[in-house]
Amino acid sequence: MQKSRKRRYITVFILLGIGTLLFFILNICIGSVSIALPDAVKVFAGQGSSETITRILWDIRLPRAVSVLILGGALSLAGYLLQTFFNNPIAGPFVLGISSGAKMAVALVMVFFMGKSIKVTSAAMIFAAFIGAMLSMGFVLLMSHKVDNMSMLVVSGVMIGYICSAITELVVTFAEDADIVNLHNWSRGSFSGMTWENVKVMAVIVSITFIAVFFMSKPLGAYQLGDVYAQNAGVNIRRLRVCLVIFSSILSACIVAFAGPISFVGIAAPHLVKKFIHTTEPIWMIPACFLGGSVFCLLCDLLAKTLLAPTELSISTVTAILGAPVVLWIIKKRKGTGK
Amino acid sequence: MKNFYFSTKKLCVGYDNKPLIKDVEIALLKGEILSLIGPNGAGKSTVLKSIAGQLQLLGGVVYLGKHSISEMKANELAKKMSVVFTEKVKVELKTCRDIVATGRYPYTGRFGILSKEDERIVDEVIELTQITDICGKDFDKISDGQKQRVMLARAVCQEPEIVILDEPTSYLDIKYKLDFLSLLEEMREKKGLTVIMSLHELELAKIVSDKILCLKGEYAARYGTPKEVFESDFIERLFEIDRDSFLENKKLLTYVTQIGKWES
């Protein structure tokens, strides 16, 4: 039995790997200008013929695809951590209002600095997003002490999200600036306009967090049995909880700072991955969730770029269409089993 | 002074800084079985949670040997003490064997991967606790009684020196109740396992316990051997059984009298 399990895990990882690679390549080749794969390979090998195509690949498509890969994985992982933390399958950074909190903080900071004509650095944006994410998280945690019902918790999160979004809208409306168009696009969620500078920062933050989370897989596994048995196994629950809150907030903050709030990936991707891999063991789920999120977002970004080309859809439009049904599916399935 | 394996001094337990029971003094030798009895809501679970280190003590000390458990490292304590409480365990996609194997947690390395030795112990415990037939099933698809047996197996798998059990037999049918109690006795003979548990079945508590702690009200109502507890009308007073109300019903009256007596 153990053997067949391991075979299943490995198969899923191979499939996820293939999926990532496939969609990554498609994302690079397909766009307003289609580029055949051999041509793209030539460009990356340094024998590019046309300057335009080289620029498109190096400066636009590649950094964008890499950031979708990183942020998609981060989003899915953030969702998985929150689901484990609240023991709630429909928890995620978006539904709990954490993304919206981060968005509000970033919008406030951006508008404030733009007003003084100071350029906002990535670090400052991430920091602001982190503070905003922690604020929302704090509210959700306060609510979670009052309600022990999973749907009420999500409702509280959605309300917090609405409040934060309203404040963001308000700020955006009153800030009159040429850059406001940018702000507006970003606040709806988009992977466009990623630079290599952005990619470097997010790669560092996400990979450090990923490693830290991976090292938590043993206590996380024990935590799935509930407080009583985790504590009996020798897990320091308080420390584990603090780590979970901080890491999920860092991941959510990083996504929002670069790509804006993206809906439903945090719930849909971990759930689909769990269905395929058929385990909840964190040591397998953590990397699988990350890859699953990457594949999901690469697909969504591809659709966002191509469905109504040349108009680009906001990424949340696509993730919502693909992700929300998964959430409904989870809820429907849960109905029979009570909570 | 004797060499007690488990003892409490001036233990005060409760929630949110409100003391529920004060001055609980327990002293057990290695291999002794202590049962907690008392009416519903008397605080049996609160005492058990407190001595397992899961609830903040409001006063006093719990000793394991000479060490206060609040000063022991979490992992050291986990190798010595395992628990089965009444909290429902909600997991997904985990087999019963997976659950039993979580008992090995304190012994595994950084990533919690089971060694060959760990796997062997898991298999051994599964056989010992007679859950071979369900060990491959999904934990969330079995009955409450089966879950209880799996959780008991998990506690055994932790290779503890002392187990804390909150109503471990509540969902078990009579066969598994007996099997479980005989397993406890066997483990205390062979390995010197010390047991602290709450029991609703007085007749079982009477037979298996070395010591009984009776809880009711602010202080421990009585602490002693079964012989000291099951005497005259103490049990009836503990549970506030009004003998007069059964005078009409001979069968129940006999039952009440039987339960409260030491030699039955």
Side-chain angles (χ1 to χ4, degrees):
Chain A
M1 202 188 75
Q2 297 301 97
K3 238 183 208 161
S4 73
R5 257 190 193 181
K6 220 161 242 163
R7 209 177 304 138
R8 180 171 194 136
Y9 300 162
I10 291 166
T11 317
V12 171
F13 271 100
I14 292 171
L15 288 176
L16 284 171
I18 294 172
T20 311
L21 194 69
L22 177 73
F23 286 117
F24 191 82
I25 292 171
L26 287 175
N27 264 293
I28 285 181
C29 295
I30 299 173
S32 46
V33 183
S34 285
I35 301 166
L37 184 59
D39 292 341
V41 173
K42 259 186 211 153
V43 168
F44 293 129
Q47 319 162 342
S49 44
S50 130
E51 181 66 15
T52 332
I53 288 184
T54 313
R55 288 275 71 88
I56 289 176
L57 284 176
W58 271 113
D59 297 346
I60 300 173
R61 298 237 177 118
L62 197 58
R64 178 170 180 161
V66 173
S67 53
V68 173
L69 188 109
I70 295 172
L71 295 179
L75 196 48
S76 168
L77 190 57
Y80 175 70
L81 294 181
L82 290 168
Q83 284 142 30
T84 310
F85 182 90
F86 289 108
N87 191 13
N88 182 337
I90 52 171
F94 192 80
V95 290
L96 291 180
I98 296 166
S99 301
S100 308
K103 177 173 92 167
M104 178 184 75
V106 173
L108 286 172
V109 167
M110 272 169 99
V111 168
F112 179 77
F113 279 102
M114 278 172 186
K116 305 200 162 200
S117 328
I118 306 169
K119 199 172 177 299
V120 193
T121 61
S122 316
M125 294 254 284
I126 292 173
F127 187 72
F130 179 68
I131 300 293
M134 288 293 275
L135 254 160
S136 281
M137 188 74 186
F139 275 113
V140 174
L141 286 176
L142 274 180
M143 291 305 293
S144 74
H145 285 293
K146 306 275 177 237
V147 294
D148 55 354
N149 178 304
M150 88 172 190
S151 30
M152 287 320 286
L153 183 72
V154 172
V155 172
S156 327
V158 171
M159 291 305 129
I160 292 165
Y162 270 119
I163 297 172
C164 294
S165 293
I167 297 174
T168 314
E169 292 293 314
L170 204 71
V171 170
V172 172
T173 316
F174 278 95
E176 282 181 44
D177 198 280
D179 282 319
I180 226 67
V181 183
N182 257 337
L183 190 62
H184 191 66
N185 267 343
W186 161 85
S187 77
R188 288 165 58 226
S190 166
F191 284 115
S192 65
M194 294 289 175
T195 64
W196 281 113
E197 201 50 47
N198 296 150
V199 171
K200 264 186 223 157
V201 177
M202 71 179 81
V204 170
I205 293 177
V206 172
S207 51
I208 290 173
T209 315
F210 177 84
I211 291 165
V213 169
F214 191 71
F215 271 87
M216 278 163 50
S217 51
K218 182 181 168 183
L220 270 181
Y223 186 74
Q224 290 172 336
L225 263 65
D227 290 6
V228 167
Y229 295 103
Q231 189 155 10
N232 181 229
V235 175
N236 184 335
I237 294 192
R238 191 183 286 260
R239 198 171 65 195
L240 181 72
R241 284 219 182 106
V242 170
C243 286
L244 273 174
V245 167
I246 291 180
F247 290 142
S248 55
S249 298
I250 291 178
L251 291 171
S252 312
C254 193
I255 298 143
V256 171
F258 289 112
I262 297 171
S263 58
F264 297 112
V265 179
I267 307 172
H271 187 75
L272 293 172
V273 167
K274 193 168 69 189
K275 281 279 153 254
F276 283 119
I277 202 163
H278 214 75
T279 179
T280 49
E281 228 46 76
I283 198 162
W284 295 102
M285 268 303 272
I286 290 169
C289 266
F290 192 92
L291 280 177
S294 300
V295 176
F296 194 89
C297 281
L298 283 167
L299 169 69
C300 289
D301 197 38
L302 190 66
L303 294 175
K305 283 193 294 187
T306 52
L307 274 183
L308 291 178
T311 315
E312 192 175 315
L313 293 170
S314 87
I315 185 76
S316 276
T317 310
V318 184
T319 55
I321 289 171
L322 292 184
V326 177
V327 179
L328 290 174
W329 175 39
I330 299 173
I331 294 170
K332 184 180 160 284
K333 239 185 30 174
R334 288 260 146 180
K335 217 184 162 198
T337 54
K339 253 175 68 166
Chain B
M1 203 180 115
K2 278 196 204 162
N3 251 337
F4 289 116
Y5 176 71
F6 176 92
S7 55
T8 63
K9 287 272 162 335
K10 295 240 165 240
L11 185 68
C12 176
V13 304
Y15 290 96
D16 303 328
N17 263 321
K18 281 183 208 114
L20 196 66
I21 302 167
K22 293 177 200 156
D23 292 341
V24 180
E25 303 254 342
I26 302 171
L28 296 175
L29 295 169
K30 200 165 176 54
E32 283 194 312
I33 296 181
L34 166 71
S35 299
L36 272 62
I37 63 171
N40 291 333
K44 298 186 288 288
S45 301
T46 316
V47 170
L48 292 175
K49 283 218 170 114
S50 302
I51 59 184
Q54 303 226 347
L55 258 184
Q56 190 82 40
L57 300 182
L58 301 183
V61 195
V62 177
Y63 291 102
L64 212 51
K66 288 190 176 62
H67 306 282
S68 155
I69 63 159
S70 53
E71 282 156 20
M72 287 174 75
K73 281 208 178 109
N75 200 51
E76 283 311 303
L77 183 62
K79 285 182 185 171
K80 293 204 162 110
M81 178 189 279
S82 67
V83 304
V84 178
F85 285 154
T86 48
E87 268 76 8
K88 286 242 154 62
V89 173
K90 240 177 64 190
V91 291
E92 268 184 294
L93 304 173
K94 278 193 201 298
T95 64
C96 296
R97 192 181 189 280
D98 293 337
I99 302 286
V100 175
T102 60
R104 300 308 297 163
Y105 185 98
Y107 303 93
T108 53
R110 180 134 243 335
F111 289 105
I113 293 162
L114 299 176
S115 66
K116 282 230 167 65
E117 175 67 5
D118 290 318
E119 300 275 5
R120 190 186 60 75
I121 293 169
V122 173
D123 288 332
E124 209 177 271
V125 168
I126 285 174
E127 197 163 320
L128 197 65
T129 51
Q130 306 180 47
I131 55 169
T132 318
D133 53 331
I134 51 170
C135 73
K137 287 193 184 157
D138 249 16
F139 185 76
D140 56 356
K141 299 217 170 74
I142 58 175
S143 77
D144 284 340
Q146 290 172 317
K147 280 184 186 167
Q148 198 161 30
R149 286 162 56 208
V150 172
M151 293 319 285
L152 291 168
R154 190 206 77 99
V156 174
C157 196
Q158 212 166 324
E159 298 192 306
E161 294 174 4
I162 178 167
V163 285
I164 314 271
L165 312 166
D166 194 0
E167 294 176 26
T169 55
S170 55
Y171 289 105
L172 301 185
D173 67 34
I174 179 76
K175 169 189 152 50
Y176 286 120
K177 253 178 215 180
L178 297 174
D179 283 346
F180 169 65
L181 291 172
S182 88
L183 177 67
L184 280 188
E185 298 224 308
E186 190 185 317
M187 286 181 66
R188 74 127 149 221
E189 294 298 321
K190 282 191 189 156
K191 300 181 178 165
L193 181 74
T194 309
V195 180
I196 300 180
M197 60 181 164
S198 64
L199 276 183
H200 268 305
E201 297 92 336
L202 296 180
E203 57 282 20
L204 291 178
K206 189 155 55 174
I207 307 165
V208 298
S209 320
D210 296 297
K211 294 276 165 56
I212 293 184
L213 178 68
C214 309
L215 293 175
K216 188 192 181 183
E218 239 184 296
Y219 297 90
R222 190 170 283 195
Y223 174 66
T225 61
K227 200 172 172 180
E228 287 161 346
V229 170
F230 289 87
E231 56 99 26
S232 75
D233 60 346
F234 179 74
I235 291 296
E236 282 161 57
R237 277 187 286 129
L238 181 68
F239 288 93
E240 292 176 14
I241 301 170
D242 182 9
R243 186 183 278 258
D244 293 343
S245 64
F246 299 114
L247 282 178
E248 299 296 310
N249 192 328
K250 280 271 164 359
K251 278 184 243 166
L252 285 180
L253 189 66
T254 329
Y255 180 72
V256 169
T257 324
Q258 288 280 323
I259 290 264
K261 266 201 301 195
W262 167 236
E263 308 286 353
S264 53

